[in-house]
Amino acid sequence: MSRARLALLILLPLVPLFAVQPALAEPAVETITDELHHPWALTFLPDGDLLVTERRGRLWRIDPATGERREIDGLPEVDHRNQGGLLDVLAPPAHADGQWIYLTWAGRCDGGNATHMGRGRLEGDRLVDFKTLHVATPCVDSGIHFGSRLAFDRDGHLFMTVGDRGERNRAQDLADHNGSVLRFHDDGRIPADNPFVDRSDAEDAIFSYGHRNPQGAATHPQTGRVWIHEHGPRGGDEINIPAAGENFGWPIQTYGREYAGPEIAPDEVEGVTGPLHHWTPSIAPSGMTFYDHAAAPVWQGDLFVGALVKRHLARLQLDGERVISEERWLEERDWRIRDVEVGPDGALWVITDHADGRLLRLTPD
């Protein structure tokens, strides 16, 4: 047997991993508006309108058919420096109490700032009865790594991601909210079955820890579990499924390296939960959603993730909890994709992170 044929036979078992289905044509793209200033998150209201946050502290209600927008009043004061500002926005799922709108933001506190979470009721063009439900302490004088995505699981628990604030060892400290995924009831109370509620040396809101800067969260439509993704340093962006009490490794385990090049830590460490999927080199992921709608059967069950540095929308096909293929859409557009959601119409709705940020509607071409 020739060396060429032998080499081919050796490689054959690896082919099916990324050859489950042929690549799809890129979606049709419609710009609804290009007048958003560094938008960060979007969510749909029961009437079909969208809410979109801008980091500088504005919240817009947008008509998806016309792009007409109205500013919402009654927001908290934000610390708009570097990566901070008004961040995530979430309307509860249809089966929950739909009157509340949840926000996260970078807010000043105790000589520094912190990731805050709160909620208010939307009445007309104003949030009323707004209340801060949680502040991720201790406050840190930093402008980076706020994390700050929200998601409800199937049981109605509210998950909130918090970054390590650029001080990596905080992610391994259970007495520190930073670098963790937090879990609450919808009114901000701590669930009695959170994993660290009985420990005096740990914060009882912590659900999982060892996270660097999680900027994506989505609820799996079949399992009801919340998935997240997080920024690595130079490489090592991760997809994880938070689990009660588990350590996801940052900074004692990572596929990433220091920005200057040296290794930070091993890829695998005993007792630490490794990622479901990782990107090396980094794509800088932000925003994610599972596709679960009859309008586009070719996308059914896929996971969509925005990318800021590599500037694309990633389509990941899954087999259970395993990524089996990945496509990169919109690369030629050079857009920083900040968030993506599935709309009531079955389209993918995307926002781009620019001074002239766009709200986009994507449908199968």
Side-chain angles (χ1 to χ4, degrees), residues 24 31 64 73 89 149 156 174 263 315 324:
L24 295 178
T31 296
D73 294 325
V89 59
R149 290 291 180 186
L174 289 173
E263 183 180 63
R315 174 198 177 223
I324 56 176

Side-chain angles (χ1 to χ4, degrees), residues 6-347:
L6 178 60
L8 178 61
L9 289 174
I10 292 172
L11 290 173
L12 280 176
L14 301 178
V15 172
L17 178 63
F18 288 94
V20 175
Q21 292 184 11
L24 295 178
E26 294 226 349
V29 180
E30 177 186 4
T31 296
I32 304 303
T33 182
D34 60 0
E35 297 180 346
L36 297 168
H37 187 273
H38 293 289
W40 209 90
L42 72 153
T43 193
F44 279 90
L45 296 170
D47 65 1
D49 281 357
L50 298 99
L51 294 179
V52 177
T53 61
E54 291 179 342
R55 281 198 304 109
R56 61 183 172 179
R58 291 182 176 176
L59 178 65
W60 297 100
R61 183 173 188 151
I62 300 179
D63 182 331
T66 65
E68 179 184 354
R69 59 181 183 162
R70 306 194 306 272
E71 188 171 359
I72 304 299
D73 294 325
L75 275 62
E77 183 177 353
V78 306
D79 184 10
H80 178 213
R81 293 180 297 156
N82 202 343
Q83 297 174 5
L86 184 60
L87 302 172
D88 208 8
V89 59
L90 180 66
H95 59 77
D97 182 353
Q99 67 175 321
W100 295 106
I101 301 299
Y102 292 80
L103 296 173
T104 62
W105 67 97
R108 300 293 298 179
C109 56
D110 295 337
N113 55 20
T115 305
H116 291 56
M117 184 266 289
R119 70 177 185 177
R121 292 184 295 106
L122 186 60
E123 291 188 357
D125 294 336
R126 184 173 182 81
L127 285 178
V128 300
D129 300 328
F130 193 88
K131 181 181 179 181
T132 298
L133 299 180
H134 186 78
V135 179
T137 57
C139 301
V140 182
D141 190 14
S142 169
I144 64 173
H145 293 194
F146 293 94
S148 211
R149 290 291 180 186
L150 296 171
F152 282 96
D153 71 5
R154 179 172 291 168
D155 297 324
H157 293 112
L158 178 61
F159 287 73
M160 171 186 176
T161 71
V162 185
D164 67 2
R165 306 306 319 283
E167 300 178 8
R168 60 183 59 170
N169 291 330
R170 293 182 180 277
Q172 290 295 314
D173 185 356
L174 289 173
D176 190 320
H177 289 121
N178 297 296
S180 302
V181 173
L182 311 180
R183 178 178 180 252
F184 306 94
H185 291 298
D186 62 357
D187 59 1
R189 291 178 297 115
I190 306 298
D193 60 349
N194 268 12
F196 302 113
V197 292
D198 295 325
R199 286 183 51 170
S200 60
D201 62 341
E203 290 287 349
D204 53 11
I206 294 176
F207 187 73
S208 62
Y209 64 106
H211 301 286
R212 185 173 182 268
N213 189 24
Q215 288 191 349
T219 305
H220 193 285
Q222 276 73 52
T223 68
R225 297 180 68 187
V226 172
W227 292 32
I228 67 167
H229 65 57
E230 53 193 281
H231 291 262
R234 182 180 175 184
D237 299 341
E238 297 181 357
I239 296 178
N240 289 303
I241 306 176
E246 292 195 9
N247 180 359
F248 285 83
W250 176 253
I252 63 173
Q253 172 185 291
T254 178
Y255 286 89
R257 305 179 72 88
E258 300 285 6
Y259 289 110
E263 183 180 63
I264 296 172
D267 297 346
E268 298 182 8
V269 173
E270 185 176 356
V272 171
T273 303
L276 178 151
H277 181 71
H278 73 92
W279 288 277
T280 301
S282 294
I283 66 168
S286 184
M288 66 190 294
T289 191
F290 290 96
Y291 192 85
D292 184 31
H293 199 289
V298 292
W299 296 348
Q300 187 64 32
D302 293 343
L303 181 64
F304 290 89
V305 175
L308 297 169
V309 170
K310 292 299 184 181
R311 303 195 177 204
H312 65 268
L313 180 66
R315 174 198 177 223
L316 282 68
Q317 289 182 272
L318 304 173
D319 179 7
E321 296 180 352
R322 187 168 66 97
V323 175
I324 56 176
S325 72
E326 179 174 349
E327 298 172 22
R328 297 185 173 187
W329 292 350
L330 311 181
E331 286 183 295
E332 75 287 354
R333 309 276 184 145
D334 199 35
W335 290 331
R336 286 168 51 87
I337 305 297
R338 175 58 78 176
D339 199 10
V340 54
E341 295 289 345
V342 179
D345 60 352

